[in-house]
Amino acid sequence: MLPTDKWICLAPQLLLLLLKFAITEEGDEQSAVFNNIGNVPHHYQAVTDAAGRAELIQLLSAQKEISFDTETTGIDSQNTELVGISFSIKTHEGWYIPIPEQREEALKILNEFQPVYENENIVKIGQNFKYDMNVLALYGIEVKGKLFDTMVAHYLIQPEMRHNMNVLAETYLGYSPVSIETLIGKKGKDQGSMRDVALEEITEYAAEDADVTLQLKEKFIPMLEETATTQLLNEVELPLIPVLSAMEREGICLDIQTLKEFSKLLEGDILNIDKEIQTLAGTPFNISSPKQVGDILFEVLKIAEKPKKTKTGQYATGEDILSKLSGKHPIVDKILDYREIVKLKSTYVDALPLMVNARTGRIHTTFNQVVAVTGRLSSDNPNLQNIPIRTSRGREVRKAFVPRDEKHILLSADYSQIELRIMAHLCQDPGLLEAFQNNLDIHTATASKVFGVALEEVSGEMRRKAKMVNFGIIYGISAFGLSERLNIPRKEAATIIENYFIQYPLIKDYMDSAIEKARKQGYVETILGRKRYLRDINSQNHTVRGFAERNAINAPIQGSAADMIKVAMINLHKVIQDKKFKSRMILQVHDELVLMYPLEEKKTK
DNA sequence: TCAATCACG
DNA sequence: ACGTACGTGATTGAC
């Protein structure tokens, strides 16, 4: 690596070029060289003997707050090994403690640090704290005391930005930490292991992470005040971290045998449908290729007058398009069927069993707290927030999620119409409030009002339409969008929307005021003050501005629902802990919580 | 790597 | 006269 003083001798053009590279790729080697913390005086120290550790532990134990980080062999916090731990208590200083590969020896050293991690009086600062919590739990350590997470804090300050440490360090501290690629190479099969990195190098890397984390925390405290998100952080997002950690560690059991059998069944179905489709098409093609499906439907069979195209000029063959062409040719329904089955098989039936953790025998998702700009959680590896439910084949997949044993039961509890209720709260529309207060089916009540018939006279068709309007309202409705989804003329959709706003006049007012608010202050916010910044709200471009306007309407609703369930999760977790229940929260699906409880706790609830 | 599709709320 | 419903993640084919 080149020291900085050699860089400034370079021709300005070259420097500019290098700078350009440095900022296009986050955390790459160029940016690591440019403005590295290595050019700042610092003191990072490896602690490798018992005496050194004892001294460090004594020092850490006397602190009000410490930042820490863990180095591991992998990125899956449920299936990884500790390579080392690092701490910082002062800017530009830090310690790194290697952890041996041999588990007994590793446990011995971690036991030494246990009193630090579990000290209730020390504030712990981390970046992506949940990961470290999960890893340390693998070694029997429950991190306790007040915590601070720079990643989660930044999520409230700038929800739409990325929140990884390299970005944060570059943006707020003006330097690029050593990138992990410098140590173990680029992601891929040739990537090395953190285990094999020389002590000197990993010390710089790990201690720097703890150091940077501590510095970021100091930066973020006033920024949280400026954005009025301190309370949301302290009372919702941070307390949620141990809850999510516990849920991830708990995992969920999967009935692999059932899925294996289902897979075989689907396999057969796929072969049959494939054959039927090829025959109907008259020429062989790959049904999994949307491009080829489009060509068959619209070039060979010509089943539509003017087929819709995607933005790249390819024929659009999505479910919405094909279902409208259902009657035109028998092949259409077959393709839809084929797509459903292949989706289920590849994404769920075959994929999930491979993700069962060898140690626990269960599936462990990761709940991401800083991805969704509205404040929702997301779930990945695997995503357990999109397990099928809408079709009967899909529900078979869902059935494979089972309690631990016959003495346990899975319980799912969900909010009913939470987003519409929040809309009712935000706009205080009397009609909408009354419908909820009378505990009416909200879509039927809406149909009754919009179509001007008695509640008892509402037909299935009317309810279906009203339901679509209610959903559309939350998303920032347009006549075009509604007409597309109801497959009715735009004029008719417009009339329905007009009637809707006559019946619920304050909803219209809410939508207008949300947009107005966004224009004036540049952001909208949820009930708990979570912001969404909408820089495009005054754009000259209709499409771009339209997006921002719909976001202004939707974000406070979707986001407030997210706030609410997060608070509920924290409270529920506390009750379970305080009363020492064995019930466990397992999943969150936006408006739903899945718990597993032992039979014996059924009556105490 | 991106676009298209589709699973969920 | 525009293009259009909000938020996610995984898989596949095509380049």
Side-chain angles (χ1 to χ4, degrees):
Chain A
M1 283 196 290
L2 292 164
T4 310
D5 58 343
K6 285 191 190 159
W7 281 68
I8 46 183
C9 304
L10 298 170
Q13 293 91 335
L14 182 57
L15 189 61
L16 266 175
L17 188 70
L18 288 163
L19 226 167
K20 202 173 145 200
F21 275 119
I23 53 176
T24 44
E25 296 280 325
E26 58 182 55
D28 61 358
E29 283 190 55
Q30 277 120 343
S31 61
V33 174
F34 182 78
N35 222 352
N36 193 307
I37 197 174
N39 302 316
V40 184
H42 65 276
H43 188 242
Y44 297 153
Q45 193 184 332
V47 180
T48 54
D49 59 27
R53 290 195 297 268
E55 199 183 324
L56 174 58
I57 288 162
Q58 198 172 15
L59 181 60
L60 293 175
S61 301
Q63 304 304 311
K64 277 212 286 266
E65 60 175 43
I66 62 178
S67 72
F68 75 98
D69 191 23
T70 58
E71 301 309 327
T72 58
T73 54
I75 50 163
D76 176 2
S77 67
Q78 303 298 330
N79 181 23
T80 195
E81 282 178 20
L82 264 175
V83 168
I85 56 179
S86 60
F87 297 94
S88 175
I89 59 174
K90 193 175 169 200
T91 299
H92 300 321
E93 293 184 13
W95 296 273
Y96 175 73
I97 303 95
I99 302 294
E101 189 164 3
Q102 217 276 320
R103 188 165 164 90
E104 293 303 313
E105 288 176 46
L107 282 169
K108 222 158 84 185
I109 292 177
L110 286 161
N111 280 341
E112 298 171 16
F113 285 88
Q114 190 161 18
V116 175
Y117 288 120
E118 301 196 353
N119 188 326
E120 303 258 13
N121 300 316
I122 305 174
V123 178
K124 320 287 188 308
I125 305 158
Q127 159 78 9
N128 192 7
F129 206 104
K130 175 158 60 65
Y131 179 84
D132 301 285
M133 271 188 122
N134 287 353
V135 172
L136 288 165
L138 296 174
Y139 295 82
I141 292 173
E142 284 291 327
V143 180
K144 289 176 192 162
K146 229 188 121 195
L147 63 90
F148 189 95
D149 188 328
T150 47
M151 184 176 82
V152 172
H154 189 257
Y155 174 60
L156 298 185
I157 294 166
Q158 283 288 334
E160 313 217 26
M161 253 179 80
R162 300 280 313 272
H163 314 287
N164 64 61
M165 207 180 61
N166 284 29
V167 167
L168 298 183
E170 276 167 33
T171 310
Y172 298 100
L173 304 177
Y175 61 73
S176 301
V178 179
S179 89
I180 192 154
E181 286 179 5
T182 325
L183 301 187
I184 59 172
K186 286 202 193 301
K187 246 192 290 191
K189 54 177 162 49
D190 295 332
Q191 193 175 45
S193 166
M194 285 295 270
R195 186 74 78 193
D196 304 325
V197 178
L199 179 65
E200 208 169 295
E201 277 185 278
I202 200 170
T203 297
E204 286 292 303
Y205 175 82
E208 182 179 73
D209 277 4
D211 176 17
V212 165
T213 301
L214 185 61
Q215 293 185 49
L216 285 173
K217 187 243 182 187
E218 295 305 321
K219 276 270 186 227
F220 290 165
I221 295 289
M223 296 176 77
L224 290 160
E225 285 297 315
E226 284 158 24
T227 53
T229 48
T230 303
Q231 194 178 5
L232 179 60
L233 181 71
N234 287 331
E235 295 179 16
V236 181
E237 297 297 348
L238 294 181
L240 186 65
I241 292 171
V243 180
L244 296 176
S245 171
M247 291 167 69
E248 290 179 6
R249 284 184 270 154
E250 187 65 35
I252 183 162
C253 290
L254 195 68
D255 180 352
I256 294 175
Q257 193 51 42
T258 300
L259 287 180
K260 289 260 150 84
E261 284 165 25
F262 195 39
S263 178
K264 277 185 205 150
L265 198 81
L266 297 182
E267 175 88 65
D269 290 354
I270 290 168
L271 286 173
N272 288 334
I273 297 177
D274 192 314
K275 208 183 288 174
E276 289 175 21
I277 291 173
Q278 306 291 349
T279 308
L280 285 168
T283 161
F285 72 105
N286 184 350
I287 311 166
S288 292
S289 161
K291 185 174 156 60
Q292 294 183 37
V293 167
D295 288 343
I296 293 288
L297 292 181
F298 304 118
E299 296 281 351
V300 179
L301 301 174
K302 296 192 185 346
I303 66 164
E305 293 289 316
K306 46 183 182 77
K308 284 233 166 67
K309 299 268 188 84
T310 66
K311 57 177 167 229
T312 56
Q314 195 177 290
Y315 292 119
T317 70
E319 196 271 336
D320 51 337
I321 309 274
L322 292 198
S323 59
K324 283 176 194 165
L325 297 171
S326 178
K328 301 280 183 188
H329 195 286
I331 200 173
V332 177
D333 283 344
K334 301 273 181 209
I335 290 172
L336 287 170
D337 232 29
Y338 177 92
R339 289 232 178 111
E340 182 196 335
I341 300 171
V342 167
K343 178 82 174 178
L344 289 180
K345 187 166 183 291
S346 63
T347 308
Y348 305 100
V349 179
D350 291 344
L352 287 172
L354 303 177
M355 307 202 70
V356 171
N357 185 295
R359 175 176 56 88
T360 65
R362 297 193 289 268
I363 300 257
H364 302 267
T365 185
T366 299
F367 288 108
N368 202 321
Q369 207 176 342
V370 300
V371 166
V373 285
T374 53
R376 275 187 175 184
L377 300 176
S378 80
S379 157
D380 66 8
N381 286 301
N383 183 354
L384 295 186
Q385 289 181 324
N386 72 346
I387 301 303
I389 191 170
R390 290 173 191 171
T391 67
S392 79
R393 283 195 196 95
R395 286 190 287 275
E396 291 302 311
V397 174
R398 193 162 275 233
K399 283 184 196 160
F401 289 86
V402 292
R404 181 192 304 165
D405 53 42
E406 60 286 350
K407 290 178 180 166
H408 289 79
I409 292 182
L410 288 181
L411 167 81
S412 156
D414 64 292
Y415 288 106
S416 161
Q417 303 298 343
I418 187 170
E419 293 192 342
L420 275 177
R421 283 178 207 264
I422 284 169
M423 169 69 98
H425 168 80
L426 291 176
C427 72
Q428 289 291 307
D429 183 275
L432 195 56
L433 286 172
E434 195 195 350
F436 279 123
Q437 275 153 7
N438 293 337
N439 216 9
L440 296 179
D441 176 299
I442 194 63
H443 303 313
T444 304
T446 300
S448 159
K449 284 182 190 293
V450 170
F451 298 112
V453 299
L455 278 172
E456 308 75 47
E457 305 296 318
V458 171
S459 66
E461 188 59 16
M462 289 157 81
R463 185 181 182 279
R464 188 180 72 88
K465 287 181 176 169
K467 185 174 175 180
M468 291 307 270
V469 185
N470 278 330
F471 275 114
I473 286 295
I474 290 165
Y475 300 150
I477 200 162
S478 72
F480 178 86
L482 186 66
S483 68
E484 278 291 294
R485 272 157 194 79
L486 287 177
N487 205 13
I488 57 174
R490 203 153 147 181
K491 198 82 182 284
E492 191 185 332
T495 308
I496 293 175
I497 294 170
E498 260 172 55
N499 284 338
Y500 188 96
F501 286 142
I502 291 170
Q503 295 300 321
Y504 297 127
L506 294 194
I507 290 186
K508 176 72 175 148
D509 288 356
Y510 163 78
M511 295 170 73
D512 294 341
S513 75
I515 293 168
E516 183 61 23
K517 215 174 188 178
R519 282 192 191 133
K520 283 217 172 97
Q521 56 191 24
Y523 64 86
V524 290
E525 59 189 325
T526 66
I527 295 171
L528 295 188
R530 183 191 307 279
K531 269 80 179 164
R532 174 149 190 194
Y533 299 91
L534 298 164
R535 71 200 90 176
D536 294 332
I537 196 72
N538 293 310
S539 168
Q540 297 294 316
N541 182 319
H542 271 93
T543 313
V544 171
R545 190 177 64 245
F547 266 109
E549 288 173 351
R550 292 193 295 276
N551 285 334
I553 293 162
N554 176 264
I557 299 170
Q558 188 179 118
S560 295
D563 292 350
M564 268 186 71
I565 196 166
K566 283 177 172 178
V567 170
M569 291 167 75
I570 293 160
N571 292 341
L572 181 54
H573 189 251
K574 184 162 167 34
V575 169
I576 288 172
Q577 278 192 325
D578 289 351
K579 306 234 169 178
K580 297 195 165 36
F581 282 133
K582 290 178 190 150
S583 298
R584 290 289 177 266
M585 233 182 297
I586 286 178
L587 298 176
Q588 187 254 41
V589 196
H590 312 305
D591 65 350
E592 171 192 11
L593 292 174
V594 178
L595 289 92
M596 183 171 64
Y597 66 91
L599 280 169
E600 73 229 39
E601 282 179 12
K602 195 172 179 180
K603 284 190 179 148
T604 56
K605 282 179 185 295

